[in-house]
Amino acid sequence: QVQLVESGGGLVQAGGSLRLSCAASGRSFSTYPMAWFRQAPGKEREFVAAAYKHPRFYYYSDLVKGRFTISRDIDKNTVYLEMNNLRPEDTAVYYCAADGFSDTYDFAYEPKYDYWGQGTQVTVSS
């Protein structure tokens, strides 16, 4: 079965960096977008970044643009999120998602994604 497993979360001070990883298994997502979402306590889950076939088709929320970088390793079926200059408002559970169908090209649209990881906690202290 398809499984997505996130790792790399933790506690960092404001201004610090973390690198999240999401390893997918069960099928290849090389031709499908993968994305990161996050959810803070008491808030709805929100889009962070998405990666399709080429960096031209990588997208970011305005909340993280210029600070976060999404990347992929096709051979490892893995997507990463490099987070720099972290802020306390970045504190959230970060979820990896993968699309299993060519249903839409709105990569920030949460229902687009068919597979989800369990999430990894990122806490940024001030």
Side-chain angles (χ1 to χ4, degrees):
Q1 291 184 324
V2 173
Q3 187 174 21
L4 275 60
V5 180
E6 302 99 333
S7 62
L11 174 64
V12 298
Q13 292 185 332
S17 299
L18 283 174
R19 186 176 189 247
L20 306 183
S21 298
C22 172
S25 60
R27 62 164 289 179
S28 173
F29 293 99
S30 62
T31 61
Y32 296 91
M34 298 183 70
W36 291 94
F37 290 77
R38 68 186 184 186
Q39 186 170 25
K43 297 184 178 180
E44 296 183 353
R45 188 155 56 186
E46 65 182 8
F47 172 75
V48 177
Y52 192 32
K53 296 180 178 180
H54 189 275
R56 177 178 175 84
F57 304 107
Y58 291 8
Y59 303 95
Y60 298 91
S61 164
D62 289 341
L63 298 173
V64 306
K65 191 176 299 182
R67 299 188 298 121
F68 292 10
T69 302
I70 191 169
S71 61
R72 300 183 67 171
D73 187 328
I74 299 299
D75 292 338
K76 297 184 182 297
N77 209 23
T78 299
V79 64
Y80 306 93
L81 186 69
E82 179 72 30
M83 304 184 294
N84 299 309
N85 193 25
L86 283 161
R87 305 166 180 170
E89 53 263 41
D90 294 318
T91 295
V93 176
Y94 283 70
Y95 295 92
C96 177
D99 185 26
F101 308 93
S102 299
D103 49 354
T104 178
Y105 287 95
D106 183 358
F107 301 127
Y109 185 53
E110 183 176 338
K112 170 182 176 63
Y113 297 94
D114 305 288
Y115 307 100
W116 292 83
Q118 80 288 346
T120 185
Q121 177 70 46
V122 172
T123 302
V124 184
S125 65
S126 60

